[in-house]
Amino acid sequence: MALVISLSIISPTAAAAIKVLPSKPAITAVSPAGSGDQISDIALNSNLLAVVGTVESGLTDFVTSPTLGGSDGFISAFDRSKKLIWNLRLGSSNDDIATAVTRDREGFFWVVGATSQPTDTITVAIDASAVNLDSVTAENVVTPQNTLNRLALWKIGFNGEISQTYFSDVNGLIAPTAIILSGASLKIVGSLTERERTEQFSISASLT
């Protein structure tokens, strides 16, 4: 009795050819080595891309508006061809950061970040009758300027104008990481460091 073994060879189906298309021009971000420049978040729709972050000395393709002092938060808007439409620095003469962005149904951008509380100066009273043997000069006590102890929320219009600014003061270093809009509710999350202890925080608010 003969045993017949049938061997079939199956050729794999040819894979579809991959079409390579030339890439579109990219958005270029130039930042000097060692600078504190950061790109933190984006918001987009079919016509516009908004980029937020923190700028110190670079990102000249993103931020062309004059410096406010120290580091500045920023938001920059690009059209579909990646052309810069407008840009805006956010903050004060102290150090400021912008870390997250979202967009509401009306087209406003909501950018969250941190800045410093206003500087407080305490005047030292000197007793003129006291004898100053060491000729020591008393100086006013000044609160540090770059403490990032104030949560900042900026509402920005479609054309790059600040509509409203909101603040919330804390007793430590605050670093928001995300902002979420759901209907008429807004939620901000991040970390808060106080006395060498870091904890996560969450703040909710109504937009109505």
Side-chain angles (χ1 to χ4, degrees):
M1 179 182 291
L3 178 63
V4 178
I5 299 176
S6 177
L7 179 63
S8 299
I9 300 176
I10 303 174
S11 299
T13 304
I18 299 175
K19 187 176 182 181
V20 179
L21 299 175
S23 63
K24 297 181 180 179
I27 299 175
T28 303
V30 179
S31 179
S35 73
D37 301 335
Q38 295 182 1
I39 294 175
S40 301
D41 200 6
I42 63 171
L44 69 156
N45 62 12
S46 58
N47 298 314
L48 184 145
L49 167 68
V51 180
V52 303
T54 303
V55 59
E56 286 189 354
S57 56
L59 300 181
T60 54
D61 294 302
F62 282 70
V63 187
T64 60
S65 51
T67 180
L68 301 176
S71 65
D72 299 326
F74 76 87
I75 176 171
S76 301
F78 297 84
D79 63 16
R80 295 184 64 181
S81 64
K82 301 181 179 68
K83 178 182 178 182
L84 182 64
I85 305 173
W86 52 261
N87 62 96
L88 182 66
R89 289 181 183 254
L90 305 169
S92 63
S93 59
N94 300 326
D95 282 343
D96 310 278
I97 61 174
T99 54
V101 62
T102 190
R103 192 174 182 186
D104 64 21
R105 296 177 181 177
E106 298 179 356
F108 287 97
F109 296 101
W110 293 81
V111 180
V112 66
T115 184
S116 300
Q117 298 177 27
T119 302
D120 294 327
T121 301
I122 302 174
T123 302
V124 179
I126 303 298
D127 184 356
S129 64
V131 178
N132 189 355
L133 298 177
D134 298 321
S135 300
V136 176
T137 302
E139 298 180 354
N140 292 336
V141 179
V142 180
T143 302
Q145 296 182 357
N146 301 317
T147 51
L148 297 180
N149 55 3
R150 167 176 278 194
L151 181 73
L153 177 64
W154 297 277
K155 181 181 180 182
I156 300 166
F158 181 80
N159 294 317
E161 72 283 353
I162 295 181
S163 172
Q164 290 177 297
T165 304
Y166 305 89
F167 297 114
S168 179
D169 293 342
V170 297
N171 292 322
L173 174 67
I174 191 164
T177 56
I179 179 171
I180 303 145
L181 277 177
S182 178
S185 298
L186 180 147
K187 183 178 181 180
I188 299 170
V189 297
S191 63
L192 176 63
T193 302
E194 184 178 358
R195 296 179 182 177
E196 300 182 355
R197 180 179 178 181
T198 301
E199 296 181 334
Q200 299 301 304
F201 76 86
S202 175
I203 298 175
S204 297
S206 174
L207 302 181
T208 56

